[in-house]
Amino acid sequence: MPNQRKKIIAANWKMHKTFHEGIALLVELNMLISSKPTKHTIVVAPPYIHLQSAVHAVADTGIKVAAQNCHQAPQGAYTGEVSAEMLQSVGAEYVILGHSERRQYFGETDELVAQKIKAATDFGLKVIFCCGESLAEREAGTHFELVKHQITTALKSFQPRVIKDVVVAYEPVWAIGTGLTASPEQAQEMHAFIRETLQGLFGAEIANNTPILYGGSMKPANANGLLSQPDVDGGLIGGASLIAQDFFDIIHSIPA
Ligand code: 13P
């Protein structure tokens, strides 16, 4: 029997789309989705500056809006930063935290990501927590250890009632924006390992109910193979989410 976990397809626009381009993409996506509705959870993460308008643009469609980051402090003299409460106040429901690009280009550590998860969940945001190894780590065979360390360091201090609001996204860095993708078997192997790690930290109920998304060059051509794996509960999509038809086709690649 298929598991009862929520399936989530999330779009991470990263630093793409002007305001008008972004709203046009949402309007197109709305039209596609209303022509063929889905029972799954659809999330879009535009840049901060488009968030409030994105929330209006998807009102009544069931699409949820996410931010791509937030600051760890509730407020303060942090020029240029955005707090979790601000996100919540404009209607964002999710926030992506710990993305490898934040780790790589902005020096974010698992300890910092843990603080951000606390800030986000304190204001009722759901978190898409990203983890995943580099190519060097996979080649060295340390990928399981690394992912376990990322998850343990970022999540271990939270109570199960907080972890219920956390979605894990496994994004192997070598597959992000490279056109290389994990094979369905590689994804399943790591997702099962992540579930086992969650079970060790929080018990079977949390482990069985936490959605684990795959991210890294997911596109219409490879989505069905990945999304058919028993522990792959959805996708976090970058490049292909910038084209409404591709993102829509990925949504409908989830096996019935
Ligand atoms: P791509 O789909 O462009 O590889 O990006 C994946 C990603 O980083 C989503 O967060």
Side-chain angles (χ1 to χ4, degrees):
M1 191 182 114
N3 67 61
Q4 299 300 305
R5 276 187 297 279
K6 190 160 56 169
K7 299 276 191 288
I8 302 173
I9 301 289
N12 177 7
W13 293 4
K14 309 190 180 182
M15 197 174 74
H16 292 287
K17 303 286 179 191
T18 63
F19 178 72
H20 293 290
E21 289 165 352
I23 298 303
L25 173 57
L26 290 176
V27 168
E28 200 184 340
L29 190 61
N30 285 345
M31 271 164 31
L32 288 168
I33 291 181
S34 53
S35 71
K36 191 176 175 194
T38 172
K39 61 180 192 227
H40 304 301
T41 301
I42 309 304
V43 180
V44 292
Y48 281 142
I49 196 166
H50 307 342
L51 283 175
Q52 192 173 9
S53 302
V55 168
H56 287 126
V58 300
D60 307 324
T61 64
I63 299 174
K64 316 281 187 199
V65 173
Q68 300 174 16
N69 182 30
C70 72
H71 195 269
Q72 64 276 20
Q75 60 188 30
Y78 300 105
T79 302
E81 290 295 320
V82 174
S83 73
E85 187 177 19
M86 292 171 192
L87 299 178
Q88 186 259 350
S89 74
V90 298
E93 289 184 55
Y94 286 77
V95 58
I96 299 171
L97 293 174
H99 194 281
S100 63
E101 289 150 15
R102 300 289 323 165
R103 296 171 186 266
Q104 186 179 350
Y105 305 126
F106 302 94
E108 293 196 7
T109 61
D110 290 309
E111 290 77 7
L112 178 66
V113 175
Q115 292 175 34
K116 292 186 175 207
I117 294 173
K118 165 127 190 24
T121 54
D122 279 352
F123 286 100
L125 294 171
K126 293 186 169 62
V127 169
I128 300 176
F129 163 72
C130 303
C131 58
E133 80 285 357
S134 66
L135 184 60
E137 286 152 349
R138 180 159 281 263
E139 284 176 351
T142 56
H143 45 299
F144 291 112
E145 205 179 299
L146 184 276
V147 168
K148 183 172 186 174
H149 183 264
Q150 288 176 325
I151 291 175
T152 306
T153 313
L155 301 184
K156 66 170 188 252
S157 62
F158 296 103
Q159 298 293 325
R161 67 179 163 74
V162 174
I163 300 297
K164 282 199 178 74
D165 284 333
V166 176
V167 172
V168 176
Y170 168 59
E171 298 207 307
V173 178
W174 48 270
I176 296 177
T178 57
L180 293 175
T181 183
S183 67
E185 295 72 26
Q186 284 172 320
Q188 170 55 28
E189 186 185 32
M190 183 59 89
H191 283 225
F193 175 78
I194 290 171
R195 208 173 294 293
E196 199 181 293
T197 304
L198 292 172
Q199 172 152 358
L201 290 167
F202 305 109
E205 194 185 333
I206 290 280
N208 290 333
N209 290 320
T210 301
I212 306 176
L213 316 184
Y214 169 81
S217 299
M218 190 186 271
K219 38 188 181 274
N222 60 26
N224 179 262
L226 290 158
L227 295 168
S228 301
Q229 300 302 310
D231 287 293
V232 177
D233 305 311
L236 180 56
I237 295 114
S241 76
L242 301 173
I243 300 163
Q245 185 69 50
D246 284 1
F247 187 61
F248 176 75
D249 288 345
I250 293 175
I251 295 169
H252 286 287
S253 302
I254 297 180

